[in-house]
Amino acid sequence: MSSISILIFAYGILKGQYAYRVIKHTLYFDDLPLSFDGFTITQISDVHAGSFTDPKAVQKGSDMINAQKSDLFVFTGDLVNNKASEIKPYINHFSQIKAPFGQFSVLGNHDYGDYMKWPSETAKAENLQQLKNYHKDLGFKLLLDEHIELKKGDAKIILAGIEN
């Protein structure tokens, strides 16, 4: 049994980060404004850019996201493993992601840099600030304990983002 676990773990490390798939779900809300019926959202999370080694495979993922032609794009945390610099080589790939109602993001637990030893609290805080700046470079509006209204005609819905 342990050899199966090792094989699965090895696959995840070597190939799993590029095993992209699209999963479609239809959600029903009794109080959803009629003008938002059919509204589409593409959501991704746990990019962990420090694990990437293949820019072409990353581009394939960005292309898959844009191919969905969703109304809204949301990124729900863990852009990096630990350091903001991990996303820098892939900014061009992720900044290609576009949706008519915008691209929004929140931070995940790994984005705060809590899983490594920093030379100082200042260095850790600077890393977090740099990661926030990279979200802007990606074209993602980072929602930190805030919300925005998405309007369609006279109707609106709220998109809220909270910190970790």
Side-chain angles (χ1 to χ4, degrees), residues 124-136:
K124 182 180 176 186
E126 288 171 351
N127 180 72
L128 180 58
Q129 184 56 54
Q130 182 60 60
L131 186 63
K132 290 176 181 179
N133 293 341
Y134 284 148
H135 276 259
K136 186 180 286 185

Side-chain angles (χ1 to χ4, degrees), residues 76-137:
T76 54
D78 288 349
L79 190 58
V80 298
N81 292 332
N82 296 297
K83 294 182 178 179
S85 60
E86 295 168 4
I87 192 60
K88 192 172 181 179
Y90 305 102
I91 288 175
N92 182 54
H93 301 281
F94 286 95
S95 66
Q96 296 170 25
I97 297 170
K98 302 294 180 205
F101 281 79
Q103 303 79 234
F104 297 90
S105 61
V106 294
L107 298 173
N109 59 312
H110 281 264
D111 297 324
Y112 291 93
D114 290 336
Y115 300 105
M116 65 172 283
K117 182 154 178 59
W118 293 93
S120 67
E121 282 300 313
T122 301
K124 182 180 176 186
E126 288 171 351
N127 180 72
L128 180 58
Q129 184 56 54
Q130 182 60 60
L131 186 63
K132 290 176 181 179
N133 293 341
Y134 284 148
H135 276 259
K136 186 180 286 185
D137 293 344

Side-chain angles (χ1 to χ4, degrees), residues 31-33 35-36 149-158:
D31 58 350
L32 184 70
S35 60
F36 282 93
E149 291 181 354
L150 301 174
K151 295 180 182 178
K152 232 179 148 184
D154 293 335
K156 68 179 179 182
I157 58 175
I158 301 295

Side-chain angles (χ1 to χ4, degrees), residues 26-41 71 150 152 155-158:
T26 301
L27 303 174
Y28 300 94
F29 300 94
D30 292 335
D31 58 350
L32 184 70
L34 190 56
S35 60
F36 282 93
D37 187 33
F39 190 80
T40 57
I41 302 170
D71 296 307
L150 301 174
K152 232 179 148 184
K156 68 179 179 182
I157 58 175
I158 301 295

